[in-house]
Amino acid sequence: MQTIESSKNADIQITSEDNPINLPDFSTEAYKDAYSRINAIVIEGEQEAHDNYISIASLLPNESDELTKLAKMELKHKKGFTACGRNLGVEADMIFAKKFFSKLHGNFKVALENGNLTTCLLIQAILIEAFAISAYHVYIRVADPFAKKITQGVVKDEYLHLNYGQEWLKANLKTCKDELMQANKANLPLIKKMLDEVADDASALAMDREELMEEFMIAYQDTLLEIGLDNREIARMAMAAIV
Ligand code: PL3
Ligand code: FE2
Ligand code: FE2
């Protein structure tokens, strides 16, 4: 994860502090219209992340305290992003956002009902967290000053969440590898679709689509490497995104 953190921190300073002229105009209708959907996605994503950690705790009762702590952070994130929308005078389009997450949410629900902890962790603590981390890093470089500060605080927590899933999967890799591969095959294509779906609105916020994809793949591959998969296995898993 160092790659992202170190290089992005350098970028943030150049883009938004030394060079504010490159920032978008936050008051245009086009910006606010796109923000109504992106902001809703983030608010819904944080709420679902909360609910998912609480659900995961039911499969890991011994770790309930830790998981409840992570869940609480998600509600704080939701509050922060709600304030970002309010600050720009934007109403979040929550109906759009619920639809945006519905397939992934459905897969999480089925996995939970079947007690498939590995799949639940891959969906929430790896895929969704890596998605959030990569998107928040790109957003921080082009955000309004209020949202930038909030997002910088949030992204630090998201690393803790990603790390939680990473360490569990690492410790249990021998027994969870097959399920991990299967869960990747079923859910990575959904993340790719979600990235495609958000790309136009993101670009209205000056967030580049290719950059979002790259950041996500770097975060995801780094995590899989940490979990203990080898390069061939990771390449095979990444291919699921393009078929
Ligand atoms: C887990 O803690 C949170 C899950 C949230 C998913 C976020 C998806 C990000 C979509 C792209 C928008 C980034 C810009 C943020 C603007 C407020
Ligand atoms: Fe979060
Ligand atoms: Fe999170």
Side-chain angles (χ1 to χ4, degrees), residues 102-171:
S102 60
K103 280 214 169 106
L104 199 59
H105 184 64
N107 284 358
F108 182 91
K109 218 173 135 229
V110 170
L112 180 69
E113 282 161 7
N114 294 326
N116 294 336
L117 176 58
T118 296
T119 304
C120 289
L121 284 172
L122 181 78
I123 292 176
Q124 176 55 49
I126 309 295
L127 288 172
I128 295 180
E129 298 296 353
F131 185 30
I133 286 171
S134 53
Y136 294 166
H137 271 301
V138 175
Y139 178 58
I140 280 167
R141 299 175 209 149
V142 291
D144 66 85
F146 180 85
K148 179 178 164 179
K149 219 171 163 191
I150 292 203
T151 311
Q152 282 170 330
V154 168
V155 86
K156 282 192 197 122
D157 290 345
E158 307 303 12
Y159 277 106
L160 299 176
H161 304 172
L162 182 79
N163 202 57
Y164 179 86
Q166 181 185 292
E167 291 310 306
W168 192 92
L169 292 167
K170 185 177 185 168

Side-chain angles (χ1 to χ4, degrees), residues 42-79:
V42 172
I43 292 170
E44 176 66 19
E46 297 292 357
Q47 177 66 53
E48 290 194 17
H50 165 273
D51 301 348
N52 290 347
Y53 285 116
I54 298 291
S55 296
I56 290 169
S58 72
L59 300 179
L60 270 176
N62 288 345
E63 305 211 18
S64 179
D65 285 358
E66 179 68 16
L67 285 158
T68 306
K69 245 191 248 164
L70 303 189
K72 279 197 182 133
M73 290 181 197
E74 304 296 18
L75 287 189
K76 208 180 81 201
H77 300 169
K78 180 187 173 187
K79 253 193 182 163

Side-chain angles (χ1 to χ4, degrees), residues 7-21:
S7 65
K8 278 7 164 213
N9 285 343
D11 280 355
I12 292 158
Q13 277 159 11
I14 294 160
T15 314
S16 314
E17 281 165 30
D18 302 339
N19 227 358
I21 210 126

Side-chain angles (χ1 to χ4, degrees), residues 206-225:
M207 296 167 68
D208 181 63
R209 172 210 177 88
E210 303 300 316
E211 216 176 321
L212 281 167
M213 300 272 178
E214 281 168 20
E215 294 286 8
F216 173 79
M217 283 317 286
I218 291 169
Y220 191 48
Q221 289 174 355
D222 274 1
T223 306
L224 296 176
L225 204 59

